[in-house]
Structure formats: C-alpha cells, structure tokens
Amino acid sequence: MVLQGHRVHITNFDLPAGPVSGTKSVTTAGTAEVLGAGGLNRGVYIRALAGNSVNNVYIGGSTIDNTGFGLKKTDPPVFLSVDNLNSIWLDVDTNGDGVSYVGS
C-alpha cells in the first residue's frame, strides 16, 4: 500500500467480527445463562422466540433475574450495543423459553 509516496507495511491488524446469529434457550427458569461467545463490532438484536410461553425472557448482566429487562414473544427486537455476546445473560419465567439473535 502506498500512502503519500511512502510505503506502509501492515504487519498485524484485527479483522472486524462477521455477522453472528443463533438461538439460545434457558434450560431452567431462575438460573441465568450466557447468551453465547463471540466478538461484535456494532452490537446485537435480540428477540424472544415465537414458540415461547406467554411469560418473559429477561436480558441483562451476569446477575440477571426476573427483575431484569423482560421480553415477551410479541415484543419487537431490542438492540444492545455490546462488544461480545458473553456480556449478555438470559433468564426466563418458563423452562426452555429463549431468544434469537443477530449481530455484527
């Protein structure tokens, strides 16, 4: 690469994280689980699964419980500006409920 008549050698750089997507169900209500693992550049959209019960999925940090940010299956997706999926934790009111997500 030439920059204003000088050669620039790039020896090490981080590639941006690519799109990530998936689903995550919480096995046991009242026991928080991490959403996933993987770096993000911009953040992630999360929505409750259409097949969930009528109860909430809660989104938050590692200490999340049923007082966190609740999503029902009829709610629109939410966007979280985070740099890694492992910073998002989930809990549920009903065993097996969960979320789908897509981010970059």
Side-chain angles (χ1 to χ4, degrees):
M1 173 164 83
V2 176
L3 180 65
Q4 296 180 350
H6 300 280
R7 291 204 178 269
V8 176
H9 298 281
I10 300 174
T11 57
N12 188 16
F13 63 95
D14 293 326
L15 292 174
V20 295
S21 63
T23 61
K24 171 68 177 172
S25 296
V26 177
T27 305
T28 306
T31 304
E33 295 184 22
V34 69
L35 176 61
L40 300 166
N41 289 319
R42 295 181 181 95
V44 63
Y45 285 94
I46 300 173
R47 106 175 295 157
L49 294 173
N52 283 356
S53 69
V54 298
N55 295 319
N56 284 321
V57 174
Y58 301 98
I59 301 170
S62 61
T63 59
I64 187 70
D65 59 17
N66 64 0
T67 61
F69 182 83
L71 277 178
K72 294 190 179 298
K73 64 181 180 180
T74 55
D75 290 337
V78 296
F79 180 80
L80 299 176
S81 180
V82 295
D83 63 3
N84 201 302
L85 292 174
N86 67 11
S87 62
I88 303 169
W89 288 69
L90 307 173
D91 198 358
V92 294
D93 285 329
T94 304
N95 295 348
D97 280 358
V99 298
S100 60
Y101 61 89
V102 62
S104 68

